[in-house]
C-alpha cells in the first residue's frame, strides 16, 4: 500500500535532514550613535504580519533540500510502484469513503490524511529550525504538504491504474489541517500523537493463523490517536506520564489476499491504553534511559519515528466491530 512506500520516503527525509539549531533570532530595539555624546533610538520597525508572501518565500528557501529529497523519493516510488511511466488520458474515479463496498474500507483515505499530516509535521519542524522568521511555519508546511499530495493525485489521474480521486484530495486536506491545528494550538502537539501500527502479513497454515490462531491471519494496519499523559503538567511527575489513552480504527477483509482466503468484511473501532515509549526511552524521569542522546541524530530520528509509529504489543485494546459482512464474490477493477 502507499503508506508503506511513504514510510520509506519518511525514513530518507529523517536521515537526511536531522535536527538543526534554530536560526530564528529575536532582536530587541536597535541603537545607533549620532555623535560621541548623543545616542538616538532608531525607529521601531512595524510588527510583522502573522503571515505574508515574504514569509512563504523564506520558509520555502529554508526547506529547499527537504523538498528536493521528498520530491525525488516520491518520483522514484511513483515510477517503480505506482505506474507513473504508463501515461494515458486523464481519468477520475469515485472511490467512496468507509462503506463495505469500497475497495479498502476507508483505510486508504486515512492513509492519505496520515501521510499528508506527517509530511506537514516534519516540514513544520524544519521551517522552525532553519527559517529566519518561523512565524506561520504550520501554515506553510500544511500548504506545501497538501500541494505535494495533490500533485501526486493529479499524476495518478494520467495513469490507467489509479486515477484521480476527489475523496483522496479531501483526505489530504484533512491531514494538512490537522497538522496546522496541532502545531498552532499551544501544548497540543505534546499531548496528542497520530500514529500507524503495522505488522507484516502472516498467511501461514491453519491452526497458527486461523480464526482462533496465535498470529494475525492477514495484513494489519491500524490508525491510532494517542493522548499522552506526559503532555499534562499535573501528570509529568507521576507514573501516568508513561501512559497513553488510545482511540483507533481499522478495516479487515478488503485486501486481495483476504478476499482469496474468504475473510469477512470488518470495520472496527478501538479504545485502549498504551505505553509511551518516547517517555520511557527519552523522558527526564528518575529511571535511567537515553535522555542525554535525545538531541543527537539517532535520538532525534527515534523520537520522531515513535511519534508516528505505534510499536506492536505496547498497548492493549477493547474492540467494537460496527460491521461484519460475509463477502460475496466481487470483481474489483484496478
Amino acid at each position: 500500500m502507499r503508506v508503506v512506500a511513504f514510510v520509506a520516503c519518511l525514513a530518507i527525509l529523517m536521515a537526511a535532514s536531522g535536527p538543526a539549531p534554530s536560526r530564528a533570532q529575536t532582536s530587541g530595539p536597535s541603537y545607533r550613535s549620532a555623535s560621541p555624546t548623543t545616542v538616538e533610538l532608531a525607529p521601531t520597525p512595524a510588527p510583522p504580519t502573522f503571515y505574508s508572501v515574504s514569509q512563504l518565500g523564506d520558509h520555502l528557501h529554508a526547506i529547499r533540500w527537504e523538498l528536493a529529497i521528498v520530491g525525488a523519493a516520491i518520483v522514484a516510488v511513483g515510477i517503480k510502484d505506482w505506474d507513473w511511466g504508463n501515461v494515458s488520458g486523464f481519468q477520475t474515479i469515485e472511490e467512496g469513503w468507509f462503506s463495505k463496498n469500497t475497495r479498502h474500507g476507508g483505510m486508504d483515505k486515512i492513509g492519505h490524511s496520515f501521510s499528508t499530516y506527517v509530511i506537514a509535521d516534519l516540514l513544520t519542524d524544519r521551517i522552525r529550525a532553519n527559517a529566519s522568521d518561523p512565524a506561520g511555519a504550520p501554515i506553510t508546511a500544511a500548504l506545501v504538504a497538501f500541494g505535494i499530495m495533490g500533485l501526486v493525485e493529479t499524476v495518478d489521474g494520467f495513469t490507467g491504474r489509479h486515477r484521480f480521486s476527489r475523496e483522496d484530495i479531501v483526505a489530504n486536506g484533512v491531514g494538512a489541517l490537522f497538522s496546522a491545528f496541532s502545531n498552532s494550538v499551544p501544548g497540543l502537539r505534546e499531548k496528542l500523537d497520530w500514529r500507524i501500527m503495522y505488522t507484516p502479513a502472516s498467511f501461514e497454515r491453519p491452526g497458527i493463523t486461523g480464526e482462533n490462531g496465535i498470529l494475525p491471519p492477514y495484513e494489519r494496519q491500524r490508525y491510532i490517536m494517542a493522548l499522552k499523559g506526559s503532555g499534562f503538567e499535573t501528570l509529568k511527575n507521576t507514573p501516568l506520564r508513561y501512559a497513553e489513552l488510545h482511540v483507533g480504527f481499522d478495516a479487515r477483509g478488503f485486501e486481495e489476499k483476504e478476499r482469496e482466503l474468504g475473510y469477512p468484511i470488518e470495520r472496527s473501532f478501538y479504545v485502549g491504553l498504551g505505553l509511551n515509549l518516547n517517555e520511557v526511552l527519552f523522558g527526564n524521569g528518575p529511571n535511567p534511559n537515553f535522555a542525554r542522546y535525545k538531541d543527537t541524530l539517532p535520538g532525534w530520528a527515534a523520537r520522531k519515528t515513535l511519534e508516528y509509529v505505534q510499536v506492536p504489543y505496547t498497548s492493549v485494546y477493547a474492540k467494537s466491530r460496527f460491521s461484519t459482512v460475509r463477502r460475496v464474490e466481487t470483481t474489483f477493477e484496478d
Side-chain angles (χ1 to χ4, degrees):
M1 291 182 69
R2 294 184 171 206
V3 173
V4 179
F6 169 73
V7 169
C9 176
L10 171 62
I12 295 172
L13 174 61
M14 289 197 301
S17 62
S22 175
R23 293 199 317 231
Q25 302 287 335
T26 17
S27 54
S30 57
Y31 294 87
R32 60 183 176 87
S33 176
S35 68
T37 58
T38 306
V39 176
E40 294 181 6
L41 180 64
T44 303
T49 58
F50 176 71
Y51 196 74
S52 65
V53 174
S54 62
Q55 283 174 290
L56 175 62
D58 174 42
H59 295 171
L60 292 177
H61 183 266
I63 56 173
R64 59 195 183 281
W65 296 115
E66 287 85 349
L67 292 178
I69 292 168
V70 172
I74 288 177
V75 169
V77 174
I79 293 173
K80 184 178 184 301
D81 293 336
W82 299 341
D83 207 26
W84 279 11
N86 183 19
V87 179
S88 65
F90 188 78
Q91 300 178 64
T92 64
I93 185 173
E94 296 292 335
E95 292 185 325
W97 295 96
F98 296 89
S99 66
K100 63 180 181 294
N101 60 348
T102 56
R103 187 171 182 183
H104 302 289
M107 294 293 283
D108 55 329
K109 299 297 166 278
I110 303 179
H112 269 266
S113 290
F114 179 76
S115 299
T116 310
Y117 158 71
V118 174
I119 293 175
D121 208 50
L122 286 170
L123 292 180
T124 299
D125 284 349
R126 304 308 300 155
I127 292 169
R128 284 175 169 168
N130 295 312
S132 58
D133 181 6
I139 298 176
T140 298
L143 291 173
V144 170
F146 181 74
I148 290 172
M149 295 297 287
L151 183 60
V152 169
E153 193 64 30
T154 301
V155 176
D156 278 351
F158 291 97
T159 68
R161 180 179 175 186
H162 291 294
R163 291 167 284 182
F164 179 91
S165 167
R166 297 180 182 86
E167 292 91 341
D168 286 347
I169 292 294
V170 173
N172 295 342
V174 171
L177 287 173
F178 183 79
S179 173
F181 182 72
S182 64
N183 282 288
S184 299
V185 176
L188 183 58
R189 191 168 174 185
E190 289 74 28
K191 295 180 177 68
L192 189 65
D193 282 353
W194 187 2
R195 303 176 189 153
I196 182 175
M197 185 169 75
Y198 172 78
T199 54
S202 299
F203 300 107
E204 303 292 345
R205 294 184 179 88
I208 297 176
T209 62
E211 185 174 353
N212 299 316
I214 299 172
L215 300 176
Y218 36 68
E219 184 177 70
R220 286 187 174 273
Q221 292 190 24
R222 184 178 303 162
Y223 290 97
I224 296 161
M225 288 289 181
L227 188 65
K228 302 178 290 187
S230 59
F232 296 86
E233 288 294 334
T234 54
L235 302 179
K236 280 186 176 179
N237 296 320
T238 74
L240 289 177
R241 67 180 178 274
Y242 299 115
E244 300 174 338
L245 179 63
H246 289 185
V247 177
F249 172 84
D250 67 25
R252 301 285 179 257
F254 289 85
E255 303 306 315
E256 180 179 354
K257 190 65 176 180
E258 297 170 325
R259 299 200 301 268
E260 292 175 1
L261 296 176
Y263 289 110
I265 296 171
E266 295 180 347
R267 290 157 295 164
S268 304
F269 284 117
Y270 296 80
V271 293
L273 296 174
L275 180 66
N276 187 338
L277 289 182
N278 254 332
E279 190 66 21
V280 171
L281 297 175
F282 300 104
N284 296 320
N287 301 318
N289 59 14
F290 302 100
R292 61 180 173 173
Y293 303 111
K294 68 180 182 179
D295 292 324
T296 64
L297 178 56
W300 178 84
R303 288 189 293 113
K304 295 305 295 181
T305 300
L306 292 174
E307 287 182 16
Y308 308 125
V309 177
Q310 180 68 38
V311 176
Y313 313 115
T314 58
S315 52
V316 292
Y317 296 103
K319 179 195 301 188
S320 174
R321 295 187 182 96
F322 66 90
S323 69
T324 299
V325 180
R326 290 290 170 182
R327 182 183 290 278
V328 177
E329 188 61 31
T330 306
T331 301
F332 289 83
E333 296 182 358
D334 285 334

